C-alpha cells in the first residue's frame, strides 16, 4: 500500500490507489471466503461426505491465493516483513531494472532502421505544411502561422532581454577587431582604387565634388574677405586689401568653373595621376601601407566610434523589441506571411515534401545512431536517482491493480485444481 499521503498524489495516482485498494479487498475477501467455507466443510465432512469435494476445492483455493499473494507481495516488499531470499525484488534490483529497461529501449527503439522506417511512413512535412497554412477561424483566433510567429517573437524578445549590452558590445568589438582592424586593408583598397581609376569609374565622384565646390564658392564669397589681405604688411593701402581678396575669390571661382566645364582639365589629370600613384603605393609602399593601417586603427579605436557602435546596438535592440512586441508591426506581419507561405508550399509541393522529409529523416537517424546510448542512459540515470521505496510505490500504483487479479485468479484456479485432483484421486485410488 502506498505510504505517500493521499493529498500529495496526483489525481490519476489517487484513482489508481483507490482501484488498487478495491482489488486488494476483493482478493483478500476471496481468500477469507475460501477459509470460511473450508472450515465449514472440514467440520461437517463426516456427516455429509460430498463436502469432501468442497473441502478439497477450498483448500486448493486457499493454497493458490496464498501462493499468488506471496508472489505478488515479493515483487514489492518482504512478505510479512520477513527477509526471505529473493523477495522485495523491485527495491533491491531497482538499478538493474533501470539498466535493463534502458538497454531494451536502446536496442529495440533507438535504432536507425526503426526510426527511418517509421518516419518514411509519416508525411511529416505535408502535415506540418497543412497545419501552418491553416487560415484563421476568426478575429479572436489567430492562424497557426501567426501563433508560430508570435511564439518566435516571444522567444527572440526573451533572448534579446537576456543578453548583456556590455557583453554584446564587447563581442562586436572583438569581431570588428578580428575581421576589420587586424586584416590589412591597404593592398585590397589599393587594388580596388586602381581598378576604379583604370575604368574611369571615379569620374562621377569627381564631378560631384567639383560641382559642390563651385556651388559653395558662389554662395560663400564673404568667407574670402581678409583671407589673404590680413597677411599683407600694414603699409599696404586698405583698398589694395580688398582688391587682393576679390582677386583671389574670382580666381578660385574661375578655376573651379574651368575644371567643371572641361572634362580634360589639367587639374583632373593631376587628380587621376595622384589617385593612380596612391593606389600603387597602397599596394607596394610599406610606409604608405603602415600609415594607412595606423589611420584605420585610430578610427576604430576612437572613443566616438566606440560610443557610436554602442548607440547603434542600443537603437537596434530597442527597435527589434518594439517590433517583436507589436502584432501589427511589419516584422511580425512579414514573419507570419513567410511562415504561411512555407506551410502552403510544404502542403502542395511533392518535390519539396520529399526533400524536407529526407532531411528530417537523415537528421533523426544521425542523432539516434550517434546519441542512442546517451538518450537511453536518461532512463538508467533517472531510475538510479529514484528512492527505492518511492520507486516501489510508483510501480505498484501503475500495475498493482492488475496484479491483484493474479491473486483472484490464483484463488479460482487453485480451487478448481484442488477439486480436480481430489476427484481424480478419489475415482482412481481405492479408499483404504
Amino acid at each position: 500500500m502506498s505510504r505517500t499521503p493521499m493529498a500529495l498524489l496526483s489525481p490519476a495516482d489517487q484513482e489508481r490507489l483507490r482501484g488498487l485498494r478495491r482489488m486488494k479487498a476483493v482478493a483478500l475477501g476471496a481468500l477469507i471466503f475460501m477459509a470460511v467455507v473450508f472450515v465449514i466443510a472440514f467440520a461437517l465432512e463426516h456427516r455429509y461426505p460430498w463436502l469432501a469435494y468442497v473441502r478439497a476445492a477450498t483448500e486448493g483455493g486457499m493454497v493458490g491465493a496464498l501462493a499468488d499473494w506471496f508472489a505478488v507481495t515479493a515483487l514489492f516488499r518482504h512478505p510479512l516483513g520477513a527477509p526471505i531470499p529473493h523477495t522485495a525484488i523491485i527495491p533491491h534490483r531497482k538499478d538493474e531494472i533501470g539498466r535493463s529497461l534502458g538497454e531494451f529501449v536502446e536496442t529495440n527503439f533507438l535504432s536507425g532502421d526503426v526510426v527511418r522506417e517509421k518516419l518514411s511512413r509519416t508525411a511529416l512535412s505535408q502535415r506540418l505544411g497543412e497545419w501552418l497554412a491553416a487560415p484563421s477561424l476568426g478575429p479572436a483566433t489567430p492562424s497557426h502561422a501567426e501563433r508560430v510567429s508570435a511564439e518566435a517573437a516571444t522567444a527572440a524578445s526573451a533572448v534579446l532581454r537576456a543578453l548583456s549590452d556590455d557583453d554584446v558590445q564587447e563581442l562586436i568589438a572583438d569581431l570588428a577587431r578580428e575581421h576589420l582592424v587586424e586584416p590589412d586593408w591597404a593592398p585590397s583598397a589599393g587594388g580596388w582604387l586602381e581598378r576604379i581609376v583604370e575604368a574611369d569609374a571615379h569620374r562621377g565622384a569627381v564631378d560631384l565634388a567639383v560641382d559642390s565646390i563651385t556651388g559653395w564658392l558662389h554662395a560663400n564669397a564673404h568667407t574670402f574677405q581678409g583671407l589673404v589681405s590680413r597677411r599683407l604688411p600694414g603699409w599696404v593701402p586698405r583698398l589694395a586689401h580688398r582688391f587682393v581678396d576679390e582677386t583671389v575669390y574670382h580666381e578660385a571661382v574661375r578655376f573651379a568653373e574651368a575644371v567643371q566645364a572641361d572634362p580634360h582639365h589639367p587639374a583632373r589629370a593631376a587628380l587621376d595621376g595622384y589617385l593612380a600613384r596612391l593606389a600603387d603605393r597602397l599596394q607596394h609602399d610599406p610606409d604608405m601601407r603602415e600609415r594607412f593601417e595606423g589611420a584605420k586603427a585610430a578610427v576604430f579605436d576612437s572613443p566616438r566610434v566606440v560610443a557610436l557602435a554602442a548607440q547603434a546596438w542600443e537603437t537596434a535592440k530597442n527597435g527589434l523589441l518594439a517590433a517583436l512586441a507589436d502584432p501589427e508591426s511589419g516584422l511580425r506581419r512579414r514573419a507570419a506571411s513567410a511562415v504561411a507561405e512555407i506551410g502552403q508550399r510544404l502542403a502542395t509541393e511533392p518535390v519539396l515534401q520529399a526533400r524536407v522529409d529526407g532531411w528530417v529523416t537523415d537528421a533523426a537517424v544521425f542523432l539516434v545512431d550517434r546519441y542512442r546510448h546517451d538518450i537511453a542512459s536518461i532512463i538508467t540515470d533517472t531510475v538510479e536517482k529514484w528512492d527505492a521505496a518511492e520507486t516501489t510505490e510508483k510501480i505498484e500504483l501503475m500495475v498493482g491493480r492488475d496484479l491483484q487479479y493474479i491473486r483472484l485468479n490464483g484463488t479460482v484456479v487453485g480451487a478448481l485444481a484442488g477439486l480436480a485432483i481430489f476427484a481424480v484421486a478419489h475415482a482412481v485410488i481405492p479408499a483404504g
Side-chain angles (χ1 to χ4, degrees):
M1 191 70 64
S2 175
R3 295 178 299 174
T4 303
M6 193 77 165
L8 299 180
L9 297 176
S10 67
D13 284 343
Q14 292 179 13
E15 182 61 31
R16 294 188 185 101
L17 180 58
R18 286 190 288 266
L20 174 60
R21 287 172 174 173
R22 284 194 298 267
M23 283 310 303
K24 281 188 174 183
V26 171
L28 179 60
L31 174 60
I32 294 174
F33 174 77
M34 287 292 175
V36 171
V37 174
F38 171 79
V39 170
I40 296 173
F42 185 81
L44 300 178
E45 179 181 356
H46 63 285
R47 294 174 58 184
Y48 305 100
W50 59 270
L51 288 177
Y53 290 91
V54 176
R55 177 187 59 79
T58 55
E59 187 177 11
M62 288 189 297
V63 171
L66 290 172
D68 287 343
W69 166 81
F70 182 90
V72 171
T73 304
L75 288 174
F76 304 104
R77 59 188 61 86
H78 295 297
L80 301 177
I84 303 172
H86 303 292
T87 59
I89 294 173
I90 290 177
H92 287 166
R93 302 182 62 185
K94 171 181 67 70
D95 294 346
E96 183 178 346
I97 292 173
R99 286 192 295 270
S100 299
L101 181 60
E103 292 173 0
F104 175 79
V105 172
E106 179 179 354
T107 303
N108 296 278
F109 294 94
L110 298 179
S111 167
D113 294 335
V114 172
V115 173
R116 186 177 295 277
E117 192 273 336
K118 177 63 178 178
L119 293 179
S120 66
R121 293 187 286 107
T122 306
L124 295 174
S125 59
Q126 183 179 1
R127 293 182 182 179
L128 176 62
E130 292 172 350
W131 186 84
L132 291 175
S136 173
L137 300 179
T141 305
S143 66
H144 293 162
E146 291 171 341
R147 289 170 56 188
V148 170
S149 63
E151 294 298 330
T154 301
S157 298
V159 171
L160 284 173
R161 290 190 176 93
L163 291 175
S164 168
D165 291 343
D166 293 337
D167 292 341
V168 173
Q169 293 167 13
E170 184 176 349
L171 175 62
I172 294 175
D174 292 341
L175 291 175
R177 183 166 299 280
E178 179 180 356
H179 297 286
L180 298 178
V181 179
E182 293 181 358
D184 290 341
W185 283 18
S188 299
W192 176 72
L193 179 59
E194 183 179 25
R195 287 188 290 272
I196 288 178
V197 173
E198 290 176 352
D200 281 342
H202 64 296
R203 294 297 182 187
V206 173
D207 291 340
L208 178 62
V210 172
D211 292 343
S212 299
I213 292 173
T214 303
W216 182 88
L217 288 173
H218 284 296
N220 294 274
H222 61 280
T223 59
F224 281 79
Q225 296 177 5
L227 183 64
V228 178
S229 60
R230 72 169 58 98
R231 294 174 174 79
L232 295 176
W235 50 266
V236 177
R238 184 66 60 181
L239 182 62
H241 288 198
R242 181 178 179 183
F243 175 77
V244 169
D245 289 336
E246 290 180 353
T247 300
V248 171
Y249 170 72
H250 289 301
E251 288 297 325
V253 170
R254 278 196 294 269
F255 177 79
E257 290 176 344
V259 175
Q260 184 182 32
D262 185 4
H264 303 289
H265 193 278
R268 290 178 178 267
L271 179 60
D272 291 346
Y274 169 76
L275 293 177
R277 291 191 301 273
L278 178 61
D280 180 73
R281 292 185 64 190
L282 286 173
Q283 297 179 79
H284 305 106
D285 186 347
D287 293 337
M288 175 57 73
R289 292 172 58 175
E290 184 177 356
R291 290 171 57 191
F292 182 86
E293 297 299 334
K296 178 192 69 176
V299 169
F300 278 102
D301 291 336
S302 170
R304 290 191 176 185
V305 173
V306 174
L308 179 62
Q311 183 180 2
W313 160 248
E314 186 67 24
T315 302
K317 176 182 175 181
N318 292 335
L320 279 174
L321 288 174
L324 291 171
D326 183 8
E328 299 302 322
S329 67
L331 178 62
R332 288 279 295 273
R333 289 199 302 270
R334 282 192 290 271
S337 176
V339 171
E341 182 181 354
I342 292 173
Q344 186 66 31
R345 292 189 60 192
L346 286 174
T348 58
E349 298 183 14
V351 175
L352 181 60
Q353 292 172 7
R355 186 181 302 125
V356 173
D357 287 343
W359 292 340
V360 173
T361 301
D362 291 341
V365 171
F366 170 78
L367 292 174
V368 166
D369 288 339
R370 188 176 183 87
Y371 300 106
R372 55 187 298 183
H373 181 71
D374 296 323
I375 297 173
S377 66
I378 296 175
I379 299 175
T380 303
D381 296 341
T382 302
V383 173
E384 287 180 352
K385 293 177 182 177
W386 284 351
D387 178 72
E390 182 181 358
T391 303
T392 302
E393 290 184 10
K394 287 179 179 292
I395 297 177
E396 187 174 13
L397 283 177
M398 294 298 298
V399 301
R401 182 172 180 272
D402 294 326
L403 292 178
Q404 298 309 309
Y405 280 104
I406 295 178
R407 293 177 56 189
L408 188 59
N409 293 337
T411 303
V412 175
V413 172
L416 295 176
L419 178 60
I421 293 172
F422 180 79
V424 171
H426 194 269
V428 175
I429 303 175

